[in-house]
Amino acid sequence: DAGITQSPRYKITETGRQVTLMCHQTWSHSYMFWYRQDLGHGLRLIYYSAAADITDKGEVPDGYVVSRSKTENFPLTLESATRSQTSVYFCASSLTGDQPQHFGDGTRLSIL
Amino acid sequence: GNSVTQMEGPVTLSEEAFLTINCTYTATGYPSLFWYVQYPGEGLQLLLKATKADDKGSNKGFEATYRKETTSFHLEKGSVQVSDSAVYFCALSDGDYKLSFGAGTTVTVRA
């Protein structure tokens, strides 16, 4: 039972570079989410997807792009990384919109 | 809009002590309430939930009661263990997919 996996676990990059964080789930959950976790802010929703080819913005979408061509994958791309995007990123999924969300182990991203 | 406020940490306790983490919320509707736990180096795990007023969620010795009159969902455990050291997040969902999280409370339990 693989569940939900994120890769890489750790990433260091430079400002201006493009970086993609991967998220894969094996449950065939309809909903998938990307959050960022910053000290003092808890988790904030970046983007979410209700199904393949359906995505929408969350609370803090600026500077991020997502896609969902397959139900099981939901990559998050930083098109031109900035230092303010240094954070821990969590992917989550849920069977339906009102079911509890299941989280991956996170990607710690540092932008120098 | 929706918001969650939880007590600031860090909280440091001795083993077998009583733990309370306060959580209050603001919501426009009738939200579902959750406590998530994050162990070091891991993602968040659902600890317990309550979906309507006066419901009590419980799991692993933790309890929380949905109090609509005080808009609260305080987390309690009667006797903590070192293995309970983690970050605890209170969250709400107001009838849709979106979760609003509190800032998190770091709990450290010493042997």
Side-chain angles (χ1 to χ4, degrees), chain A residues 32-93:
Chain A
M32 295 188 75
F33 309 85
W34 274 107
Y35 294 89
R36 60 178 290 172
Q37 182 182 24
D38 303 291
L39 198 63
H41 290 280
L43 277 75
R44 293 179 290 177
L45 182 65
I46 304 171
Y47 269 94
Y48 69 95
S49 169
D53 296 321
I54 301 174
T55 63
D56 207 346
K57 297 177 180 179
E59 182 184 355
V60 289
D62 292 345
Y64 303 96
V65 174
V66 294
S67 62
R68 193 158 177 217
S69 58
K70 293 184 178 180
T71 298
E72 60 267 30
N73 296 323
F74 191 41
L76 176 74
T77 298
L78 289 66
E79 293 192 306
S80 180
T82 65
R83 289 196 180 90
S84 65
Q85 293 176 308
T86 292
S87 186
V88 181
Y89 290 85
F90 287 99
C91 180
S93 70

Side-chain angles (χ1 to χ4, degrees), chain B:
Chain B
N2 298 334
S3 67
V4 176
T5 303
Q6 58 183 106
M7 63 183 285
E8 294 187 14
V11 175
T12 302
L13 304 165
S14 298
E15 255 190 332
E16 299 183 4
F18 185 87
L19 170 67
T20 299
I21 304 176
N22 291 338
C23 172
T24 57
Y25 67 89
T26 302
T28 53
Y30 299 93
S32 294
L33 301 173
F34 306 86
W35 277 101
Y36 280 83
V37 58
Q38 183 182 29
Y39 298 105
E42 298 182 9
L44 279 70
Q45 302 174 24
L46 179 65
L47 181 59
L48 53 84
K49 69 175 183 177
T51 58
K52 60 183 187 298
D54 299 325
D55 268 1
K56 177 185 284 187
S58 61
N59 187 25
K60 299 182 180 180
F62 290 89
E63 292 183 340
T65 301
Y66 188 142
R67 302 288 188 196
K68 187 171 182 293
E69 64 276 12
T70 55
T71 61
S72 65
F73 193 54
H74 305 323
L75 182 69
E76 298 180 336
K77 185 174 185 182
S79 177
V80 294
Q81 305 299 312
V82 172
S83 58
D84 294 323
S85 298
V87 182
Y88 293 83
F89 292 93
C90 186
L92 73 81
S93 176
D94 193 6
D96 61 11
Y97 51 85
K98 292 180 182 177
L99 279 174
S100 297
F101 286 89
T105 302
T106 300
V107 174
T108 301
V109 180
R110 294 181 174 170

